[in-house]
Amino acid sequence: MGPTSQRSRNILLVEDDADILAALAEQLRDAGYSVDVAPDGNAAWDHLMGLNRPSLIVLDLKLPGLSGWELLERLRGSTSLVGVPVIVVSAYLGFPPAGALAWLKKPIDPKMLLDVVERLLPAA
């Protein structure tokens, strides 16, 4: 995979549970994605305000500090992040909130996550 396609397949994974974060990051990397991780909403927002715009965000809603709900609200108001697809993961949700294109209920089925990521982020 060349540098351009790698950049176009960068995922920001936002999850406060270290075990889930590590497992999902490994799974996505094994599938050929470049993955950046953030353990909370504040770290995710700081990352998003940097120069590395992700191709897709996988976002837990229940986060310490800046919640996933609040991060979604900021994303909707950010002109620089318009068009970045968001997959919400939550144990408590049955539908995608405003600003998310898809949702997955925890515990996450690894195959389902990859299917949704591939649907929203086709191979470059």
Side-chain angles (χ1 to χ4, degrees), residues 103-124:
W103 69 275
L104 294 171
K105 190 163 177 70
K106 287 182 176 180
I108 299 168
D109 176 326
K111 182 179 178 343
M112 190 173 292
L113 173 62
L114 288 177
D115 288 347
V116 173
V117 167
E118 284 298 327
R119 180 170 48 85
L120 297 177
L121 190 62

Side-chain angles (χ1 to χ4, degrees), residues 62-86:
K62 190 174 179 187
L63 297 168
L66 184 69
S67 75
W69 293 101
E70 293 165 319
L71 187 60
L72 274 172
E73 185 68 30
R74 287 188 183 186
L75 288 169
R76 285 195 305 263
S78 172
T79 56
S80 66
L81 296 168
V82 168
V84 176
V86 177

Side-chain angles (χ1 to χ4, degrees), residues 13 18 22 25 29-30 35 45 47 50 53-54 61 66 73 76 87 93 99 104 106-109 111 113 122 124:
L13 177 57
R29 287 181 181 124
D30 287 350
V35 180
W45 186 249
H47 177 84
R53 175 188 160 114
L61 290 179
L66 184 69
E73 185 68 30
R76 285 195 305 263
I87 300 171
L93 193 66
L104 294 171
K106 287 182 176 180
I108 299 168
D109 176 326
K111 182 179 178 343
L113 173 62

